[in-house]
Amino acid sequence: MDKHDSAKSGKGSLPGPKIPSKAAQIAHDATIKLQYAMNSSTISRIEGPNLFSMARHISTFARLLEAILADLSIDRRPFLDLRERYFGWWKPSSTTHLPWEAITNTTGIVLTAGQGNMALAAHAIRTLRNVVNTTLPIQVAYAGDDDLPAHKRRIMRALDPQLELINILDHYDEDVAGLRSGGYAMKPFAALASSFERVIIIDADTIFMQRPDEWFEEHAGLKRTGTLFFHDRAYGGRKTTDWVKNLLKESGQKPSTTLNSTLYWREELEHQQESGVVYFDKAIPGAFMSLLFTTYMNLQHVRAHLYGQVSGDKETFWLAAELAKIPYAFHPTYAGIIGPISTNVEGVPEICSPQPLQTDLYGRPFWFNSGLMEDKTNAENRKYANLTYYIPGGTRKQPVGGWRFIHDHTFCMGRSVEEMISVKDAGLGEVAKGLIDEAKAVDEMFRVTTG
């Protein structure tokens, strides 16, 4: 065989250039797009509260992150550089769970607490541990010593030996984040800073009647998207709906299938989401970038614009995913109510309470908001909630009889007695009793501790 034959057969020839993988091509294109945007005049729009500019960048980041996780041979330095340039206000620590550096796959619960809601948070922590018996680690985020002084932190640690306290100010540029006065805004910041890969974010006044642990495996929407949100009460009102519709119209963006199918969108409810519990699987790139976008929406200068249109942080979780065209999931039912049966002036049976209830996949009580006091807004009222009956929320239409707003956080829902379900008959009577007993024990501990 001469050299020409050798060349034909390929023997002894040099290897051809390596063809980039599909993931590498996606990463290259996304990197170029983000670098161009950062180096062009659009930087001014990135830094301001222009939600659609940031939504496009978040969507590109999600594709880039998915690519570098799919192909370990891709150089990650451009991604890390862009992450720092776009989100310089975020300062990940050595304990922050980052999908591109993940070495553990932990699941945990995160809540924020300060002096103002410390007792509510204590109820939530101790009932999680001692009543529904979760074994998940719990992290409590606070905004510096003024928010939760050292002696208060010692009291919190006494609630649970496994409890971890995080000073959220160590993880962000306070001049940009504004967390000392953040209030509700702190929740996404706490979730992003957390060491957990799979995180359950809860309000300080959220009370579980069942363990939250298994939902990452059991809920199809959460497994598919890495997110799970819960609907608020199906209460009529157009303020937020009109604003969101105008927002999408201005951008020329059509509502996603998820949004278009909701009662909130079709019948113009006042609120879409009850953010007392939010699930994120940060291992899924879209879910992680959606959380980062939610955090951006709650930065000081952005929320100053947003909170005039929506009630605190609650709508920012799903809206971030919607604007960035990232898949997200809602539990199908709207909020119901839990409390005692009474009769209104027209003789109609109803349940009145400030506690909106979320049910599980089988219609049984899962969790409720507004704590374990009859009225958490009235410091003089030391009565505990009456957790005897409940009305589950619906999925397709506003509830028959509707919601009736009374005062502060209290609503009533009228139904026939036959439609009001006993908590005991749902198999959770002992849990309901245990919740109240645990709250009383915590309050007694606080009374003795604080004198």
Side-chain angles (χ1 to χ4, degrees):
M1 180 184 294
D2 62 22
K3 64 180 180 180
H4 299 291
D5 293 331
S6 176
K8 285 181 182 179
S9 66
K11 293 179 180 180
S13 61
L14 295 173
K18 183 179 179 181
I19 300 175
S21 68
K22 183 177 181 180
Q25 292 174 349
I26 292 172
H28 175 267
D29 293 345
T31 299
I32 294 299
K33 187 174 182 179
L34 289 167
Q35 288 173 336
Y36 175 79
M38 179 55 68
N39 295 330
S40 71
S41 61
T42 60
I43 182 62
S44 62
R45 295 200 295 275
I46 294 170
E47 293 177 341
N50 187 312
L51 299 181
F52 288 106
S53 287
M54 183 53 76
R56 287 192 294 271
H57 302 311
I58 289 289
S59 180
T60 306
F61 262 107
R63 292 196 298 274
L64 175 54
L65 179 56
E66 185 173 13
I68 67 171
L69 294 181
D71 186 344
L72 298 180
S73 70
I74 296 173
D75 185 359
R76 299 185 176 194
R77 287 173 295 181
F79 169 81
L80 298 175
D81 175 65
L82 287 164
R83 198 286 306 166
E84 172 64 28
R85 293 172 69 189
Y86 273 82
F87 310 106
W89 42 266
W90 174 32
K91 301 182 290 184
S93 75
S94 59
T95 61
T96 302
H97 182 91
L98 304 171
W100 54 91
E101 293 181 2
I103 56 175
T104 60
N105 56 345
T106 54
T107 302
I109 298 168
V110 173
L111 61 91
T112 60
Q115 296 186 75
N117 62 2
M118 185 174 161
L120 293 171
H123 289 174
I125 293 165
R126 286 291 286 267
T127 54
L128 274 164
R129 278 284 179 259
N130 298 341
V131 182
V132 300
N133 300 316
T134 183
T135 58
L136 291 180
I138 301 173
Q139 294 178 338
V140 173
Y142 65 98
D145 289 341
D146 291 339
D147 188 31
L148 196 65
H151 68 285
K152 299 286 188 181
R153 299 199 294 274
R154 286 193 293 271
I155 295 173
M156 292 295 287
R157 287 192 180 96
L159 296 168
D160 176 17
Q162 299 179 56
L163 191 70
E164 182 181 358
L165 291 164
I166 301 173
N167 185 353
I168 201 72
L169 300 184
D170 295 337
H171 297 260
Y172 300 96
D173 182 342
E174 174 61 6
D175 290 339
V176 180
L179 294 174
R180 293 184 191 276
S181 59
Y184 294 118
M186 284 180 59
K187 286 193 304 187
F189 290 92
L192 185 63
S194 168
S195 61
F196 304 135
E197 177 182 74
R198 303 193 300 182
V199 59
I200 306 168
I201 317 165
I202 71 171
D203 282 342
D205 61 348
T206 290
I207 300 295
F208 284 93
M209 298 189 74
Q210 299 181 51
R211 285 163 50 115
D213 314 25
E214 292 82 9
W215 278 52
F216 281 105
E217 284 74 33
E218 293 180 355
H219 199 287
L222 175 55
K223 290 176 68 174
R224 175 175 54 85
T225 68
T227 60
L228 181 62
F229 310 137
F230 292 84
H231 289 295
D232 207 328
R233 301 176 181 94
Y235 183 67
R238 298 181 52 167
K239 178 185 175 183
T240 62
T241 320
D242 284 349
W243 179 73
V244 174
K245 287 185 174 181
N246 288 333
L247 189 67
L248 292 180
K249 184 178 180 181
E250 288 173 8
S251 72
Q253 183 170 319
K254 293 182 179 180
S256 67
T257 302
T258 302
L259 177 57
N260 205 40
S261 64
T262 60
L263 190 59
Y264 167 82
W265 194 253
R266 290 185 284 107
E267 300 199 23
E268 299 181 319
L269 303 180
E270 185 64 26
H271 304 295
Q272 165 82 310
Q273 185 174 352
E274 154 63 292
S275 61
V277 174
V278 180
Y279 283 77
F280 275 99
D281 185 345
K282 294 192 283 187
I284 297 179
F288 178 82
M289 292 308 305
S290 176
L291 174 59
L292 183 52
F293 191 14
T294 304
T295 309
Y296 166 85
M297 285 187 175
N298 286 275
L299 292 173
Q300 186 168 230
H301 71 294
V302 184
R303 69 176 184 260
H305 167 71
L306 272 180
Y307 283 19
Q309 312 298 332
V310 298
S311 179
D313 68 307
K314 63 194 308 176
E315 310 295 356
T316 61
F317 290 95
W318 70 267
L319 192 56
E322 177 72 25
L323 295 181
K325 299 181 180 180
I326 292 172
Y328 61 100
F330 265 98
H331 191 54
T333 54
Y334 283 76
I337 192 168
I338 187 168
I341 297 177
S342 59
T343 303
N344 65 22
V345 294
E346 298 175 349
V348 177
E350 61 183 4
I351 293 178
C352 297
S353 89
Q355 282 85 12
L357 173 73
Q358 302 291 340
T359 50
D360 65 11
L361 297 167
Y362 308 101
R364 299 167 67 240
F366 180 37
W367 64 270
F368 59 86
N369 211 317
S370 208
L372 284 165
M373 306 308 297
E374 184 178 72
D375 183 358
K376 69 174 184 179
T377 65
N378 183 357
E380 301 301 318
N381 184 350
R382 301 308 302 162
K383 293 181 180 179
Y384 294 90
N386 184 330
L387 307 174
T388 48
Y389 288 87
Y390 70 100
I391 302 173
T395 57
R396 301 287 183 186
K397 58 184 179 180
Q398 294 190 48
V400 177
W403 288 96
R404 184 166 66 89
F405 177 68
I406 304 299
H407 59 81
D408 297 326
H409 299 283
T410 302
F411 284 77
C412 295
M413 182 186 282
R415 291 285 181 91
S416 67
V417 173
E418 290 75 18
E419 294 179 280
M420 299 178 182
I421 305 171
S422 165
V423 170
K424 183 177 180 180
D425 290 346
L428 295 168
E430 287 301 312
V431 170
K433 180 180 182 300
L435 294 173
I436 300 302
D437 288 346
E438 193 66 34
K440 290 178 179 178
V442 168
D443 291 344
E444 178 62 19
M445 185 194 78
F446 272 33
R447 186 188 69 79
V448 171
T449 304
T450 59

